[in-house]
Amino acid sequence: MAASSVLLQVEDVTKQFDGVRAVDGVSFEVRRGEIFGLLGPNGAGKTTLIRMILGIFRPDSGRILYGGSGVSDGPSGELPKERIGYLPEERGLYEDRRVGETLLYLAGLHGMDARRARERALVWLERLDLREYYPRRLKELSKGMQQKVQFIAAVLHEPELVVLDEPFSGLDPPSQDLFLELIRGLAREGMTVLLSAHQMNLVESLCDRVFLIHKGRRVLYGDLDRIKQDHGMRVVQMRFACRGPSEELRRRIEAACPAKILSLDAEGAELLLPKDVPPKDFLQLLVNDLMGDHDLDLEEISIMKPSLHRIFVEVVRRL
Amino acid sequence: MILERLGLGKRTWKVARWEFLGTLRNRQFLFLTVLFPLLLLGSTLVTVLLVTPGLQESLIAFPANTPEELETLLTPWVEGEWGVELDRLLSALIAGAFAFVFLFVVLFSGTFVLQNVIREKQSRVVERVLAALTPRELIAGKILAFGALGLVQAAIWVAVGLTFLVVIGPYWEFPTWPLLGLLFSYLPWEKLLLFLVYFALGYLFIASFSAAMGSTMTDVFSGQQTQSLIVVLPAVLPLSFFPLLSNDPQTVVYQVLSYFPPSIPGAMMLRLALTDVPLGEVLTSLGVLLFSTVLMVRLAGKIFEIGILMYGKSLSLREIWRWTRG
């Protein structure tokens, strides 16, 4: 990977609060133009990491490099704030101020001149059906509208890197879809997006690469398809009619193959196939051992790569 | 440019402009600024006229058309009634008035900074802003904005007061213009210049302190409870002991207050207004004030940086103490 394609480099970064390591030896890089997901449950250290990337916190140790070179030895606070956009998790804007002037002020702080900021603000508000709210005070807007305005405030100044901390939290489903589309749009416009989320299923389709974090530490990192391939697990979902006791069925499955039973009752089951059991083998086993002499009528079956969330849960369990 | 050498630049001005214009356009602020002095003047006037019926006669007892005529008329009267020379009385009055105005500006602006920081923290907007600038730039912008607002407010009060005098004066045949001319000719410039220094440092001290305290609080309510302690105490301490000073300009209380950093500006301005303070004491107090202000600005920056992103709890003094050493 050529150095110029790396926009942000996080190197062995650690931060502790009151003796607790919120972020512990984390390293990753974000490449130009990609949508990078920083994923993990609440309290995993995502926000702390993001605040360090933005120079709001200083790491206790480690470095954060922007642009691949140049800032190598400086404190991370020296990041080019003009070229970064930020949507914090805890978000709010000036309640008593007007939507338009607020957007212009924030874009101005990032160094964008007022005329250009105004043009862009109008385009964005138009795009999100908020055109007529330009001269209105923020407190007159509904919560959903305010969230859109906050999103605009993060991207108005045409940043090179947009950092979105939990962009989907507090959104209703239609808004989640809208935000997914908006974020894809940013990447199409050439911005690099770093987003954090705890709803892994929601962002799985969005991210090119991901960093999964748990208790401040790396769990998984890399290309999303690659991660799924490397983990090689399969999820088997079956619907069936079982006339015998399901406890008996459970025992037989456990005896026949090393699949992990996620759920099982008289009507269906969900299993997790480990990497070393190919789908073909499992099907064979199913037909020969389980269905043969047992009262099991199979109605539906699917064998799929697991969701990112499933992989995460499995990996964390094994830690 | 001084600001840039302190690591502050264009963005500080942008913050200052945003806060300044935003507050200036706030209806509540305008209402207070214009109506407050009018109400005060009106009620004072009514009281004075009701309580002292002879006042109107004594006011027009000095029919003068020029400051010089007025001075000639006033000099024997002042010496007879008050036992002091006219020039001493006038310069003490003027300096005292300026000292009061400056102290009020410190008081109001410090409170503004405190409430603004708390509101900004409460609305969560601060984290978004910190992605664009440093905490230092943010605090500096706010301190500049509210300092300027305080001065504008004071200027409006003075202007309202003078307009009032000019409008009302003729109805009483009161020598408004000669009096203003006389006051102007006795302006104690050196003292006022010195006041400006005390004011600037004192305000910087209080405002930094306010910003730091605001950043550790969770809501405006807890702000109001403590703000009296934070902002009012240092500015009001010298004011509340004022009778002591007017009785005895050398009183020990003021000697002490002159070395307690938060109350140095108030104590020294009032002392300077009433008496001549030895140069050595002036310089020492300035030194102490300068040193403690620099210290406070640094400390405040540290506290602000950590406090402003701690949501959901107000911080104990102990925790604050721990950070500042960290």
Side-chain angles (χ1 to χ4, degrees), chain B residues 198-233:
Chain B
Y198 278 114
F199 163 72
L201 287 174
Y203 171 64
L204 192 56
F205 185 95
I206 298 294
S208 312
F209 190 42
S210 295
M213 289 298 104
S215 77
T216 67
M217 292 170 188
T218 44
D219 53 43
V220 181
F221 178 71
S222 78
Q224 274 161 354
Q225 279 185 320
T226 12
Q227 95 201 13
S228 47
L229 200 88
I230 294 165
V231 188
V232 178
L233 190 78

Side-chain angles (χ1 to χ4, degrees), chain A residues 18 51 56-58 81-82 86 88 90-94 97 101-102 105-106 108-110 153 157, chain B residues 11 14-15 18-19 22-23 25 27 120 123-125 127-134 305 309 311 322:
Chain A
D18 292 332
R51 285 179 180 168
I56 294 173
F57 286 167
R58 255 177 287 267
K81 291 186 181 248
E82 309 79 43
Y86 182 33
E90 298 270 10
R91 42 190 177 253
L93 291 173
Y94 304 95
R97 299 298 184 85
E101 62 174 355
T102 303
Y105 169 60
L106 291 171
L109 287 182
H110 285 281
H157 54 288
Chain B
R11 295 189 287 224
K14 282 179 182 165
V15 173
W18 168 257
E19 299 292 1
T23 312
R25 270 183 265 158
R27 252 168 286 165
E120 196 145 304
S123 75
R124 304 291 196 252
V125 73
E127 190 169 356
R128 172 62 189 81
V129 174
L130 285 180
L133 38 67
T134 64
E305 212 166 298
L309 290 177
Y311 301 127
R322 231 181 29 225

Side-chain angles (χ1 to χ4, degrees), chain A residues 52-59 64 74-81, chain B residues 134:
Chain A
M52 286 191 284
I53 289 171
L54 288 156
I56 294 173
F57 286 167
R58 255 177 287 267
I64 294 170
S76 60
E78 304 301 320
L79 288 174
K81 291 186 181 248
Chain B
T134 64

Side-chain angles (χ1 to χ4, degrees), chain B residues 78-94:
Chain B
V78 164
E79 271 165 32
E81 293 270 311
W82 300 70
V84 288
E85 290 124 45
L86 181 67
D87 57 344
R88 285 193 72 84
L89 179 74
L90 285 182
S91 81
L93 274 178
I94 299 167

